[in-house]
Amino acid sequence: MGQGGEPRRVQAYDGELGAAVTRAQEGDEAAFAIAYRLVQPGLLGYLRGLVGEDAEDVASDAWLEIARDLGRFRGDGAGFRGWTATIARHRALDHLRRQKVRPRSAALEQDMLDLPGPHSTHDQALESLSTEYALELVRGLPRDQAEAVLLRVVVGLDGPSAARVLGKRPGAVRTAAYRGLKRLAHQLGVESVTDDGPRTLGEST
């Protein structure tokens, strides 16, 4: 964990999150509340990108399942974020099926790349991703790109973790994130985003 593509604020929470999850598995309700507080903002942002205004309802369903199955989870703080994102994604897809709404893009692209280097002007675009406007822009991306961006940037997963959530190859998820961020940066008016092309961030996948 902790590659250059992960937001530092998320990395900083992972130690606290892992400890809270361990205590919660031992029956500490206050610790579960801490884990919820650390995970919910990113999870809600991810779900807003998938189901829009129904995100709160889907998140509630996801947390019921997370609480029910908590004893089965094995892993650290970063692993918990990936596990909860997987559950939330399943609930979101169930919700979309119930609504008979097809996700924006049924075709998932085959080959994808790493996020650009940490000093790229992509960072300027990412700073805006917490806004409702930016989440609306994310929702307008092809679904593979939208999910990759949301998992990498909003939930804060590294490439392999995001790939596990999506059931895709890490390379495919990295390229989808790169393409999505490139499009978002263009829409947000950030110039020269891809002048030097995508670069790897040292992930061994």
Side-chain angles (χ1 to χ4, degrees), residues 115-126:
L115 290 172
H119 303 300
S120 162
T121 47
H122 270 313
D123 292 347
Q124 298 169 40
L126 303 190

Side-chain angles (χ1 to χ4, degrees), residues 91-123:
R91 296 285 68 76
L93 295 181
D94 287 347
H95 177 80
L96 290 172
R97 277 192 288 269
R98 281 198 301 273
Q99 287 191 321
K100 300 206 176 355
V101 173
R102 288 183 62 78
R104 278 183 170 71
S105 173
L108 295 176
E109 297 181 273
Q110 285 297 309
D111 53 309
M112 310 182 186
L113 297 167
D114 231 326
L115 290 172
H119 303 300
S120 162
T121 47
H122 270 313
D123 292 347

Side-chain angles (χ1 to χ4, degrees), residues 72-153:
R72 290 171 27 199
F73 170 74
R74 296 290 178 270
D76 58 8
F80 185 73
R81 282 191 286 115
W83 183 70
T84 55
T86 300
I87 290 172
R89 181 175 193 263
H90 290 160
R91 296 285 68 76
L93 295 181
D94 287 347
H95 177 80
L96 290 172
R97 277 192 288 269
R98 281 198 301 273
Q99 287 191 321
K100 300 206 176 355
V101 173
R102 288 183 62 78
R104 278 183 170 71
S105 173
L108 295 176
E109 297 181 273
Q110 285 297 309
D111 53 309
M112 310 182 186
L113 297 167
D114 231 326
L115 290 172
H119 303 300
S120 162
T121 47
H122 270 313
D123 292 347
Q124 298 169 40
L126 303 190
E127 289 301 315
S128 303
L129 279 179
S130 60
T131 67
E132 290 298 323
Y133 169 66
L135 282 172
E136 277 303 306
L137 290 181
V138 172
R139 293 194 75 202
L141 294 173
R143 190 175 133 221
D144 63 320
Q145 294 179 19
E147 287 206 73
V149 168
L150 290 164
L151 288 171
R152 293 295 307 263
V153 177

Side-chain angles (χ1 to χ4, degrees), residues 17 48 58 77 84 101 109 122 126 166 170-171 176 196 205:
L17 176 57
R48 281 201 186 104
V58 174
T84 55
V101 173
E109 297 181 273
H122 270 313
L126 303 190
L166 297 174
D196 52 2
T205 49

